Amino acid sequence: MIGVSVQGVNKRFGGIQVLKDVSFTANEGEFVTIVGPSGCGKTTLLRIIDGLEKADSGDVRIDGRPVSGPARECAFVFQADSLMPWRTVWDNCKLGLELRNIDVKANRGRIQELLNLVGLRGFEKHYPRQLSGGMRQRVNLARALVVDPDVLLMDEPFAALDAQTREIMQKELLRIWADQRKTVVFITHQLDEAVYLADQVLVMGRKPGVIADEITVPFERPRELSIKRTEEFGKLVERIWGTIEGVIRETGGI
Ligand SMILES: Nc1ncnc2c1ncn2[C@@H]1O[C@H](COP(=O)(O)OP(=O)(O)OP(=O)(O)O)[C@@H](O)[C@H]1O
Ligand SMILES: [Mg+2]
């Protein structure tokens, strides 16, 4: 089954073509990462998949159904810390259900299971200010998963984290993904993150945003962080960097 299908998507803002003929598919349960220089249209593409933005032309489907408005099958995880500071960890998680009018009481078990899964058992009554950045992103993830989406859309979720926490979160995310088996589309600027997480890496060009390269990542799962230091891994990162460098050169700097 195909989880996310994007075919021939074009998008203009004013006179500027941001996305041009963008096509890719993510099979159900597949992990796709998107990299590309700033302003190439990554967030726009994710918003189109989520139905928050409308494509000018092209076809976008989730689980085979055309997207025609905010997609209930998708959950978004943003870079910015989008937790409500006046709500506890538990109440922030519950918000995902409330926003979709899903019965909270009937899902108490699920909230607890997910908080356990993301490693926050015992922190249910804490407020966001009492948590580290990594822990706050774990709450964000639990909140996204609580509605049991088919597709998880993640826009640079770990960008604000320090290098060590980020690595831990990458490994954790793969563990959680293996448990939940969602289709994931994940944007990042960090090339090693893109390769480490993905089944498939999409490299975007800019002005207009096109898919400049598509890479199938061959490493077996589960993956140890140490694969990042292998030659094969380094070669994939180098290939992506080569493409992005070319795009930046052609389109006039960062
Ligand atoms: N609502 C909007 N109205 C007008 N222009 C927009 C809008 N949203 C995005 N753009 C423009 O579209 C282009 C792509 O933006 P987008 O945010 O998708 O890029 P991005 O690849 O996510 O960049 P970054 O890596 O910096 O997050 C940019 O030139 C941006 O100015
Ligand atoms: Mg963006």
Side-chain angles (χ1 to χ4, degrees), residues 42-100:
K42 301 180 294 295
T43 297
T44 304
L45 177 58
L46 218 59
R47 287 174 56 81
I48 289 173
I49 296 170
D50 200 26
L52 297 170
E53 198 85 65
K54 214 174 152 351
D56 298 335
S57 59
D59 187 57
V60 180
R61 287 168 193 261
I62 305 287
D63 300 332
R65 285 186 296 279
V67 171
S68 60
R72 287 185 74 88
E73 296 85 356
C74 296
F76 223 113
V77 183
F78 299 96
Q79 169 190 342
D81 192 341
S82 53
L83 298 179
M84 293 189 164
W86 60 88
R87 283 190 166 217
T88 61
V89 165
W90 180 278
D91 287 348
N92 264 290
C93 273
K94 164 174 111 161
L95 183 71
L97 297 169
E98 288 170 354
L99 291 175
R100 295 188 185 203

Side-chain angles (χ1 to χ4, degrees), residues 22-43:
V22 170
S23 300
F24 76 93
T25 53
N27 289 326
E28 211 177 295
E30 198 177 12
F31 204 124
V32 174
T33 54
I34 303 179
V35 294
S38 193
C40 71
K42 301 180 294 295
T43 297

Side-chain angles (χ1 to χ4, degrees), residues 103-156:
D103 186 11
V104 173
K105 273 214 179 99
N107 280 286
R108 291 179 67 87
R110 179 165 175 80
I111 296 176
Q112 189 61 57
E113 258 172 44
L114 284 169
L115 285 174
N116 297 350
L117 181 69
V118 301
L120 286 175
R121 185 204 301 263
F123 291 93
E124 294 83 358
K125 293 201 171 84
H126 281 60
Y127 287 89
R129 67 185 143 76
Q130 299 172 300
L131 305 176
S132 68
M135 290 162 91
R136 284 200 289 268
Q137 269 315 45
R138 288 167 194 265
V139 183
N140 264 337
L141 190 56
R143 181 169 68 184
L145 289 169
V146 80
V147 298
D148 201 17
D150 296 339
V151 179
L152 211 47
L153 303 172
M154 306 182 79
D155 195 354
E156 300 189 50

